[in-house]
Amino acid sequence: LENKAIEREELIRIAVLAIFSRTNMFLIGEPGVGKTYILNILISAVSGAKSFEYLIMAHTKPEELFGTSYVDQEGQMHYDIENSILDAHFVFLDEIF
């Protein structure tokens, strides 16, 4: 990966460390420096992993990220979390500012 993303060794190592330590990572930086590119390659390298990627906007609703809820005919609350943050191994939220 370091051969594909020149001068991004520190970012790559921190991202790999975050994956192995199962911690969150928050990246702030100028557009076009390879943050998304590197993360997409790393996520795709983990076999069987589900990922959730979303471009956050000012009008983004919580159900777009966390799934929807509904009440069935018996009055029971159900949650549809498939393809949401709650269903993913990796979550990539872009442009959150």
Side-chain angles (χ1 to χ4, degrees), residues 13-25 90:
R13 291 176 184 160
I14 290 171
V16 170
L17 180 63
I19 290 171
F20 281 110
S21 62
R22 294 180 172 211
T23 61
N24 298 319
M25 187 170 75
F90 293 98

Side-chain angles (χ1 to χ4, degrees), residues 84-97:
S84 75
I85 285 178
L86 303 174
D87 188 40
H89 298 106
F90 293 98
V91 175
F92 179 57
L93 302 175
D94 203 4
E95 305 292 334
I96 61 174
F97 294 115

Side-chain angles (χ1 to χ4, degrees), residues 22-95:
R22 294 180 172 211
T23 61
N24 298 319
M25 187 170 75
F26 186 81
L27 299 174
I28 299 176
E30 296 296 320
V33 296
K35 297 180 301 290
T36 302
Y37 175 72
I38 290 168
L39 294 178
N40 283 333
I41 290 175
L42 284 172
I43 290 169
S44 67
V46 178
S47 63
K50 289 183 180 181
S51 65
F52 178 85
E53 185 173 336
Y54 204 85
L55 179 65
I56 302 293
M57 304 275 195
H59 59 274
T60 300
K61 298 176 183 168
E63 49 272 358
E64 295 176 69
L65 304 174
F66 299 105
T68 56
S69 61
Y70 60 94
V71 178
D72 66 12
Q73 294 176 344
E74 288 82 37
Q76 297 290 322
M77 179 71 82
H78 295 275
Y79 299 94
D80 182 11
I81 62 168
E82 190 172 349
N83 299 319
S84 75
I85 285 178
L86 303 174
D87 188 40
H89 298 106
F90 293 98
V91 175
F92 179 57
L93 302 175
D94 203 4
E95 305 292 334

